[in-house]
């Protein structure tokens, strides 16, 4: 049980972090570590099977069903959410459980649509993140489904995804297992295109998106990381704050031999403001370094760099890396003058900057170029 004093302390840590006062936040955390240990959420196990529950938007209909890789499809196709609806649901497996919201685009008639998983940042929730990114409006226009997992305060005081805990950096363990299981369940239940499942996130959500790209490259066809951090560079809250300040230590290898450190082949698009005082802009380079496309063999297909300016204000620099066939595998967008906010987002949501290039549009443009080759329909 988390005490009121601990909650207030973590709220203050979050406020200081958002204000860019990382040293003060770090100092406040020094007395919080003991309480943190007692607040650790229940986790463990490595089994994908679980249960799910969908609740209509008005909260009047609720039904739990068992689900697994083999059973969810059987009942799911007769249990589809209405097109244009933003429904609430709940997923659990042997590791843990999380609520979620799912948007089914208007005009959906049962075709196998792509799925975009959106991971909110600290203090946010699915409704806030959907409003700020305008992802549901784009889903209607381009026909894809959007899944918004929700992080509860029982798992993290500030509703941050626990990207900085070793137990949440593993395949078939911790939050990666829950999020991957949830994505597979929704894909199965609604008959979506398993070869076109994508994940994107902001800040802590961006960090967890990279962790998912590292641990589930067979599930996610591409990843979007906005104002995020590298995978596995922190194992505690103090570690996390150090990384957020720009962390110069080695990138995670989780016991791997030198040269075999974590590198994902999942295509990635990265956004970061160069005036971000919450997550240091250097983290964008460190995230990019964990994607294989940043390390082309033989120097072929050298990256290209172009500069531009959004119609609404911010200039940007875009660096693109290509595979041997000339296809873009990695894009890094540096937004000049932007802080810790979703570029091109709507003021209807928190942590958005309407003056930047539209990160939502650009991520979707990038995503549709990529598909899991072994799962193409």
């Amino acid at each position: 049980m988390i005490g009121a004093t601990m909650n207030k302390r973590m709220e203050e840590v979050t406020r200081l972090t958002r204000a860019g006062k990382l040293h003060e936040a770090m100092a406040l955390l020094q007395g919080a570590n003991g309480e943190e240990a007692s607040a650790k959420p229940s986790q463990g196990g490595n089994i994908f099977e679980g249960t799910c529950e969908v609740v209509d938007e008005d909260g009047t209909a609720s039904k739990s069903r068992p689900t697994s890789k083999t059973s969810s499809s059987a009942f799911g196709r007769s249990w589809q959410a209405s097109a244009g609806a933003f429904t609430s649901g709940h997923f659990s497996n042997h590791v843990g459980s999380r609520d979620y919201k799912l948007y089914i685009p208007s005009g959906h008639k049962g075709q196998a649509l792509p799925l975009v998983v959106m991971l909110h940042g600290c203090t946010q929730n699915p409704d806030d993140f959907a409003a700020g990114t305008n992802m549901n409006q784009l889903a209607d226009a381009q026909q894809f489904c959007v899944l918004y997992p929700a992080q509860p305060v029982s798992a993290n005081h500030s509703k941050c995804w626990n990207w900085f805990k070793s137990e949440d950096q593993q395949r078939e363990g911790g939050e990666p297992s829950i999020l991957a299981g949830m994505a597979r369940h929704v894909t199965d239940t609604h008959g979506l295109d398993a070869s076109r499942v994508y994940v994107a996130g902001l800040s802590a959500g961006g960090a967890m998106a990279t962790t998912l790209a590292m641990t589930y490259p067979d599930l996610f066809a591409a990843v979007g990381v906005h104002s995020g951090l590298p995978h596995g560079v922190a194992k505690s809250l103090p570690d996390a704050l150090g990384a957020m300040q720009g962390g110069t230590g080695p990138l995670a290898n989780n016991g791997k031999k030198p040269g075999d450190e974590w590198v994902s082949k999942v295509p990635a698009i990265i956004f970061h403001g160069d005036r971000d005082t919450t997550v240091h802009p250097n983290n964008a380079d460190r995230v990019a370094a964990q994607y294989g496309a940043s390390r082309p063999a033989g120097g072929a297909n050298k990256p290209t760099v172009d500069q531009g300016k959004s119609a609404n204000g911010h200039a940007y620099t875009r660096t693109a890396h290509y595979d041997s066939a000339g296809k873009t595998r990695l894009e890094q967008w540096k937004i000049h003058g932007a802080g810790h906010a979703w570029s091109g987002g709507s003021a209807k949501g928190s942590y958005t900057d309407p003056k930047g290039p539209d990160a939502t549009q650009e991520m979707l443009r990038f995503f549709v170029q990529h598909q899991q080759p072994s799962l193409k329909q």
Side-chain angles (χ1 to χ4, degrees):
M1 190 72 179
I2 301 169
T5 301
M6 185 64 172
N7 277 333
K8 288 183 178 178
R9 178 180 291 173
M10 298 312 298
E11 288 173 1
E12 179 63 7
V13 168
T14 301
R15 187 190 68 76
L16 290 169
T17 301
R18 291 293 194 193
K21 299 178 179 178
L22 299 182
H23 291 292
E24 290 91 336
M26 178 79 82
L28 190 58
L29 275 173
Q30 301 308 312
N33 290 341
E35 294 177 62
E36 178 203 351
S38 67
K40 180 181 177 181
S42 175
Q43 291 175 327
N46 57 0
I47 300 173
F48 178 71
E49 294 183 352
T51 61
C52 64
E53 179 178 272
V54 165
V55 182
D56 290 344
E57 192 71 319
D58 60 5
T60 56
S62 176
K63 192 170 185 178
S64 296
R65 301 168 187 260
T67 180
S68 71
K69 289 180 179 177
T70 55
S71 66
S72 60
S73 178
F75 69 77
R77 295 207 169 86
S78 61
W79 178 47
Q80 296 180 358
S82 301
F86 199 22
T87 57
S88 300
H90 183 82
F91 174 83
S92 64
N93 62 12
H94 286 71
V95 175
S97 63
R98 293 293 185 277
D99 292 335
Y100 65 81
K101 296 200 75 170
L102 175 66
Y103 187 74
I104 305 292
S106 302
H108 178 238
K109 298 179 180 178
Q111 65 271 42
L113 298 179
L115 175 68
V116 176
V117 181
M118 292 288 284
L119 301 176
H120 62 72
C122 298
T123 74
Q124 294 183 312
N125 59 43
D127 291 297
D128 182 4
F129 201 37
T133 59
N134 285 322
M135 189 61 81
N136 291 355
Q137 286 84 347
L138 271 294
D140 278 336
Q142 300 186 28
Q143 290 294 287
F144 59 90
C145 297
V146 194
L147 173 65
Y148 299 88
Q151 181 75 317
V153 293
S154 59
N156 183 286
H157 311 291
S158 300
K159 298 191 288 186
C160 308
W161 297 102
N162 290 306
W163 59 273
F164 49 84
K165 294 183 177 180
S166 58
E167 63 266 33
D168 293 303
Q169 297 168 353
Q170 311 297 323
R171 183 180 174 95
E172 306 302 347
E175 290 171 2
S177 171
I178 299 170
L179 295 168
M182 184 187 295
R184 283 173 169 152
H185 159 70
V186 168
T187 300
D188 225 16
T189 299
H190 296 279
L192 305 181
D193 185 349
S195 72
R196 294 185 292 164
V197 178
Y198 311 102
V199 61
L202 171 67
S203 191
M208 184 55 74
T210 273
T211 287
L212 289 172
M214 296 290 169
T215 53
Y216 289 92
D218 52 332
L219 174 59
F220 297 102
V223 58
V225 182
H226 201 310
S227 310
L229 297 107
H231 167 69
V233 293
K235 303 297 182 186
S236 66
L237 278 170
D239 280 357
L241 288 177
M244 291 166 67
Q245 293 177 72
T248 56
L251 294 172
N253 59 24
N254 285 31
K256 294 176 181 289
K257 297 178 181 178
D260 293 334
E261 65 272 16
W262 285 104
V263 177
S264 177
K265 295 182 179 179
V266 175
I269 180 169
I270 300 164
F271 279 78
H272 214 119
D274 67 0
R275 295 292 182 272
D276 191 334
T277 58
T278 301
V279 176
H280 195 285
N282 283 352
N283 281 289
D285 294 334
R286 290 166 61 79
V287 171
Q290 289 191 325
Y291 288 90
S294 68
R295 310 173 188 184
N301 297 309
K302 293 181 178 179
T304 59
V305 179
D306 61 86
Q307 297 182 322
K309 188 174 185 298
S310 80
N312 295 324
H314 288 313
Y316 62 84
T317 299
R318 171 183 171 271
T319 304
H321 301 255
Y322 307 88
D323 61 17
S324 58
K327 189 175 182 179
T328 309
R329 300 287 297 184
L330 174 65
E331 287 189 20
Q332 185 176 350
W333 290 65
K334 180 183 292 185
I335 314 302
H336 303 296
H340 193 65
W342 188 271
S343 182
S346 167
K348 294 178 180 177
S350 64
Y351 300 104
T352 60
D353 184 349
K355 294 182 179 179
D358 192 330
T360 302
Q361 286 270 19
E362 297 298 339
M363 285 187 183
L364 293 174
R365 171 193 55 76
F366 182 82
F367 288 168
V368 298
Q369 301 175 51
H370 300 285
Q371 190 173 4
Q372 286 282 2
S374 61
L375 298 174
K376 286 183 178 179
Q377 294 188 342

